[in-house]
């Protein structure tokens, strides 16, 4: 008997198994092929816009993705570095071979974790409570909790042109029966689609005519715990390339041959990561589309075209690739494809990621309708934590929208649902100035410590950081700048306007042209760079942050207004029919969550609030 069984060894499964075993749950990770643990069948990168912040949140909570990415990346950059702190986000080009190897080593070192190669095709359920899983050969394995992280393998089909092949990524065996068995249990199954670009031999491309994109020349890490350990001058370069008129013409002339436009696709594809043919159709005013030619691993010469995923036939893919500048003689090692798969309706999930249909059954990753390694890993971590907490008879860890992008992700899924592969964007977070990558540890590490994934040393480091932030703020708020001739020269040398009168350093720092580095001309600031960064952001954006914190107070007030689980919405008079149906479907736990349900209007919320006060005294 296992405490927790994790089904699937992708990014969600790795985090779930790691978290559960770290919390001393006897855990079994079942995967069809141990060689595909933490596989990257699409683009081998970690992070990106919003996603990089999620990876830092995973690390802050005690997850493992950021640490493995730091150990194995080929290049790392801070996206939007010249923009405001709310939209800055790390992105690393991962080594497609090394990342899975290091992840497997980390999992194999876990004391309470076993890994088994097998295919799960059914669940053992009694009285709507999970009891274990049933393997393909009908072998039963008992467990107190099960976490499904099946990725794109449920009834998976590979699509290239008009051909459909039952298969998971890399030609792996697909799960034939599990989604049908989930349907029998009462789950709503939907069909989704995603895709991947072609793989090209680097030495067959003329890199000289492409725009080189190098890694940043400052050390960067996803993890808050370990210093950077890479050679900053030996990062791999990426290259920028654009589609052109010829590329677009080839695609337009052959649209009917693509799986999507030829009518061969059943599933719904990702809106925010479309195929190249979808881009050409949807954005016909664009003369060109940006692509990145990026490495996959140091172990071979295979590179991929980020932004060029397609389901065109092989002969058309050849023409499309060869139409690109520098790719006239490119050798395609692996052709692009689309993949269709089954997923559940995430409205059937609680905010803990436990299903509403079967007790102690959790789901995470693409089975919940998301896209992306980072979104999957975040869900896996939360599912692993909450499965362990449920077995310990403890309250689940549920992050609010003002606390984490992970909270935004899960709340969107369980409150709004999705009919297409969901992708995190900075625009989805109302409080994004508070949810920055630089402060993920300050926001979330306390939670990681409380659940048991952050150790005492990590926690003490956090307390030291908090203390130093307060010390530095105190120094800046109590130190006045003397406007003597010597100090004025620093302003003149930096071409910065000299203040009209003596000011506190904190007030001076609020000026756009003034930085902490400049203020070090006047006062010794012996603090770490990360402490300085926190203080500079806190002071420069103080007005905006305070305004956002007031909005958060309103949210928390609504979050505190609980909706009883036994409420009968048919008895709530005078609400719209659509609102009643949506409320019955989602069963929100708070008024705040109810306000975010599509189709539930302010008038419906007002009626519901009056009803709760009358019937429940709330």
């Amino acid at each position: 008997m296992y405490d927790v069984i994790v089904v699937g060894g992708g990014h969600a499964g790795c985090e779930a198994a790691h978290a559960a075993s770290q919390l001393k749950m006897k855990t079994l990770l079942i995967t069809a092929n141990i060689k595909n643990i933490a596989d990257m069948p699409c683009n081998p990168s970690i992070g990106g816009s919003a996603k990089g912040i999620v990876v830092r949140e995973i690390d802050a909570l005690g997850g493992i993705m950021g640490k493995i990415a730091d150990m194995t990346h080929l290049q790392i950059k801070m996206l939007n570095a010249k923009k405001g702190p709310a939209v800055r986000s790390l992105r690393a080009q991962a080594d497609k071979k090394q990342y899975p190897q290091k992840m497997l080593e980390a999992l194999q070192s876990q004391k309470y974790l076993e890994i088994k190669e097998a295919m799960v095709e059914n669940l053992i359920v009694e009285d709507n409570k999970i009891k274990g899983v049933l393997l393909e050969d009908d072998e039963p394995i008992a467990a107190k909790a099960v976490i499904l992280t099946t990725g794109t393998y449920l009834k998976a089909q590979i699509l290239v042109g008009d051909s459909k092949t039952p298969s998971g990524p890399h030609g792996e065996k697909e799960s034939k029966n599990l989604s049908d068995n989930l349907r029998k249990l009462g789950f709503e199954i939907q069909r989704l689609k995603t895709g991947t670009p072609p793989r090209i031999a680097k030495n067959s491309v003329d890199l000289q005519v492409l725009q080189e994109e190098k890694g940043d020349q400052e050390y960067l890490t996803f993890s808050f715990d370990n210093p950077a350990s890479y050679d900053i001058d030996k990062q791999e370069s990426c290259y920028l390339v654009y589609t052109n008129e010829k590329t677009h013409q080839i695609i337009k002339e052959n649209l009917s041959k693509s799986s999507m436009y030829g009518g061969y696709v059943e599933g719904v594809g990702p809106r925010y990561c479309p195929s190249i043919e979808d881009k050409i159709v949807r954005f016909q005013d664009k003369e060109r589309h940006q692509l990145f030619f990026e490495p996959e691993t140091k172990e071979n010469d295979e590179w991929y075209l980020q932004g060029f995923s397609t389901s065109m036939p092989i002969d058309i893919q050849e023409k499309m690739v060869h139409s690109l500048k520098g790719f006239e003689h490119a050798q395609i090692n692996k052709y692009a494809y689309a993949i269709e798969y089954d997923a559940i309706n995430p409205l059937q999930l609680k905010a803990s990621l436990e299903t509403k249909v079967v007790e102690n059954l959790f789901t995470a990753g693409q089975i919940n309708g998301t896209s992306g390694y980072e979104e999957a890993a975040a869900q896996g971590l939360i599912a692993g934590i909450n499965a362990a907490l449920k077995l310990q008879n403890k309250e689940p860890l549920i992050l609010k929208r003002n606390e984490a992008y992970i909270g935004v992700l899960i709340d969107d899924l369980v409150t709004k649902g999705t009919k297409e592969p969901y992708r995190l964007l900075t625009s989805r977070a109302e409080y994004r100035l508070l949810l920055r990558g630089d402060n993920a540890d300050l926001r979330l590490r306390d939670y990681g410590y409380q659940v048991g994934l952050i150790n005492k040393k990590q926690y003490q480091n956090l307390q030291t950081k908090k203390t130093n932030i307060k010390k530095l703020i105190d120094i800046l708020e109590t130190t006045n700048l003397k406007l003597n001739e010597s100090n004025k020269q620093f302003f003149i040398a930096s071409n910065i306007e000299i203040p009209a009168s003596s000011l506190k350093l904190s007030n001076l720092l609020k000026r756009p042209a003034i930085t902490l580095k400049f203020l070090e001309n006047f006062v010794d600031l012996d603090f770490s760079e990360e402490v300085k960064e926190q203080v500079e952001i806190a002071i420069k954006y103080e007005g905006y942050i305070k305004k956002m914190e007031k909005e958060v107070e309103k949210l928390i007030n609504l979050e505190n207004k609980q909706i009883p689980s036994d409420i009968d919405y048919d008895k709530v008079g005078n609400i719209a029919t659509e609102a009643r149906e949506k409320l019955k479907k989602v069963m929100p736990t708070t008024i705040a969550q109810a306000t975010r349900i599509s189709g539930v209007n302010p008038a419906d919320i007002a009626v519901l609030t009056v009803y709760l006060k009358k019937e429940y005294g709330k």
Side-chain angles (χ1 to χ4, degrees), residues 59-60 224-225 441-467:
D59 186 78
F224 291 94
D225 297 311
D441 58 336
L442 299 174
R443 292 186 278 117
L444 300 175
R445 190 140 275 196
D446 283 328
Y447 287 128
Y449 183 68
Q450 288 165 21
V451 301
L453 291 180
I454 294 298
N455 61 38
K456 288 184 179 180
K457 182 180 179 182
Q458 291 171 304
Y459 187 66
Q460 185 55 54
N461 289 341
L462 174 69
Q463 301 312 308
T464 300
K465 181 176 178 179
K466 288 180 178 179
T467 299

Side-chain angles (χ1 to χ4, degrees), residues 72-74 93-100 296-298:
T72 61
H73 65 69
L74 302 172
Q93 194 57 38
D95 189 305
K96 190 172 184 173
K97 300 289 186 182
Q98 287 295 312
Y99 185 95
E296 291 205 320
T297 175
K298 288 182 178 179

Side-chain angles (χ1 to χ4, degrees), residues 411-460:
D411 183 67
D412 278 353
L413 289 176
V414 305
T415 302
K416 301 174 183 177
T418 185
K419 296 296 183 184
E420 62 189 34
Y422 174 101
R423 180 181 179 181
L424 260 179
L425 306 165
T426 52
S427 59
R428 295 193 192 274
E430 310 93 308
Y431 311 108
R432 54 187 170 273
L433 183 55
L434 304 180
L435 309 182
R436 308 184 308 272
D438 60 81
N439 70 352
D441 58 336
L442 299 174
R443 292 186 278 117
L444 300 175
R445 190 140 275 196
D446 283 328
Y447 287 128
Y449 183 68
Q450 288 165 21
V451 301
L453 291 180
I454 294 298
N455 61 38
K456 288 184 179 180
K457 182 180 179 182
Q458 291 171 304
Y459 187 66
Q460 185 55 54

Side-chain angles (χ1 to χ4, degrees), residues 57-107:
E57 291 180 349
I58 290 169
D59 186 78
L61 288 167
I64 196 170
M65 174 177 260
K67 290 179 174 60
I68 303 297
D70 285 343
M71 292 166 59
T72 61
H73 65 69
L74 302 172
Q75 184 201 89
I76 189 165
K77 298 180 78 168
M78 180 66 77
L79 303 184
N80 301 319
K82 294 181 180 179
K83 296 183 179 180
V87 295
R88 294 172 196 161
S89 196
L90 282 176
R91 182 183 187 270
Q93 194 57 38
D95 189 305
K96 190 172 184 173
K97 300 289 186 182
Q98 287 295 312
Y99 185 95
Q101 288 175 16
K102 294 297 182 184
M103 181 64 78
L104 179 58
E105 289 173 11
L107 295 179

